Amino acid sequence: MLSQSEFDALPKVRMGRRELLAGLAAGTVFPFAATGCTAENPALGRRQLMLVSDDQIAQLSDQTWQAARQRERVSNDPALRRQADRVGSRIANASGMSQHAWEFVVFDSDEVNAWVLPNGKVGLYRGLMETTRNDDQLATVIGHEAGHVAGRHAQERASQQMAAGMATGLAAVALDQADVQNAGAWAGVLGAGLTFGVLLPYSRRHELEADRLGVDYMARANYRPSESVIFWQSMMDQSQRGAPPAFLSTHPSDQERMNALNSHIRSRGYA
Ligand SMILES: [Zn+2]
């Protein structure tokens, strides 16, 4: 991973697009893309490209969270708020991610949606909470979202976008500009990484990983993992009735994913 000072230094390199592409091809430019910039993620058991620091992502997450809380109407419904806190805190504890100040906020909207930011802030829409039939199904949603945090999926997508930007010349443009403009360009790329799961769909790989971690957290928190199958099936059914929930557009589901979820539940011996 880049240190903050290395990251700050990046835009100061002066190089034309042609030189940059040649350097990338020869492996002389951005050696971090090939060497020390992957990190082992113990929750996933695989290495990830990681070009952004926890500090950078935390800062952007905080800004995004403040903006969301101003944009959406926060619900005052005491029952919904209690349920979000009750289920959310049990899943957060079971996930072992005590480094985050977890927060579970209910937005007063019919939208069937939920999302998470890498800093452990979870937005739950009333429409989604009303769709869940019990705490186990809400634990499915929160467990899955916590799985995306443990999987560092937003950071991975931002890193992949940065690498792709470098390859396609976005970096060359950024690198040739003044520092101030570059700061904005990089923040834009990082911010785009954060929009995965909020506005843009997660990849299939990320979905499968979040499913597995999510049901593991459910089981550890004494929720019934079998309810996750019922919940996702109901989301897919709603979709087939012509009213696709917003939640499914960012967390795409299909029969293949359901099969993987079922086989994980069986292999762990969960009920
Ligand atoms: Zn997901």
Side-chain angles (χ1 to χ4, degrees):
M1 184 186 304
L2 297 178
S3 70
Q4 182 69 49
S5 57
E6 285 169 326
F7 184 84
D8 289 341
L10 255 186
K12 293 177 185 134
V13 178
R14 293 197 67 81
M15 192 178 287
R17 180 182 175 139
R18 181 178 285 242
E19 292 165 88
L20 177 91
L21 291 177
L24 274 173
T28 54
V29 182
F30 308 120
F32 56 78
T35 57
C37 285
T38 63
E40 174 73 18
N41 186 326
L44 303 178
R46 65 176 176 90
R47 296 191 75 80
Q48 294 177 295
L49 181 66
M50 208 44 72
L51 304 178
V52 301
S53 76
D54 290 341
D55 279 353
Q56 289 153 358
I57 216 79
Q59 206 178 326
L60 278 161
S61 300
D62 290 344
Q63 287 168 10
T64 306
W65 181 240
Q66 294 312 326
R69 291 196 59 152
Q70 277 169 15
R71 191 180 59 240
E72 308 285 350
R73 195 167 57 221
V74 175
S75 169
N76 288 319
D77 185 317
L80 286 182
R81 291 173 63 146
R82 266 200 309 275
Q83 191 194 12
D85 285 337
R86 176 173 70 237
V87 178
S89 60
R90 265 170 72 175
I91 290 291
N93 286 338
S95 78
M97 290 185 281
S98 54
Q99 70 272 33
H100 298 304
W102 290 90
E103 236 182 299
F104 307 91
V105 169
V106 182
F107 295 126
D108 187 19
S109 158
D110 291 335
E111 204 175 308
V112 178
N113 204 2
W115 43 256
V116 70
L117 294 171
N119 57 355
K121 308 299 183 194
V122 181
L124 298 164
Y125 292 70
R126 176 175 46 73
L128 177 126
M129 292 189 69
E130 288 168 352
T131 302
T132 60
R133 289 190 213 146
N134 48 43
D135 277 12
D136 308 75
Q137 292 192 5
L138 184 59
T140 298
V141 174
I142 297 176
H144 179 94
E145 296 301 318
H148 282 308
V149 175
R152 309 187 78 196
H153 291 155
Q155 292 93 315
E156 186 172 35
R157 291 305 278 260
S159 300
Q160 288 166 343
Q161 285 188 324
M162 287 172 76
M166 287 162 190
T168 56
L170 177 146
V173 174
L175 296 176
D176 271 343
Q177 306 295 318
D179 292 349
V180 178
Q181 286 167 298
N182 285 326
W186 286 115
V189 173
L190 285 172
L194 276 190
T195 62
F196 282 97
V198 177
L199 299 172
L200 299 168
Y202 283 108
S203 69
R204 168 172 292 275
R205 176 184 219 175
H206 286 173
E207 282 308 282
L208 296 178
E209 288 175 342
D211 277 346
R212 285 197 295 270
L213 290 166
V215 293
D216 288 349
Y217 300 153
M218 286 178 77
R220 227 173 279 162
N222 286 319
Y223 290 113
R224 294 168 293 168
S226 58
E227 286 292 313
S228 68
V229 178
I230 299 170
F231 170 79
W232 288 111
Q233 191 59 56
S234 80
M235 288 285 106
M236 283 164 59
D237 291 348
Q238 275 189 42
S239 215
Q240 264 157 21
R241 285 198 301 270
F247 189 57
L248 264 207
S249 68
T250 47
H251 304 272
S253 191
D254 57 23
Q255 199 50 50
E256 204 180 320
R257 183 180 157 203
M258 297 296 289
N259 294 345
L261 179 63
N262 269 312
S263 80
H264 180 71
I265 290 172
R266 266 200 313 277
S267 74
R268 295 275 199 191
Y270 296 146

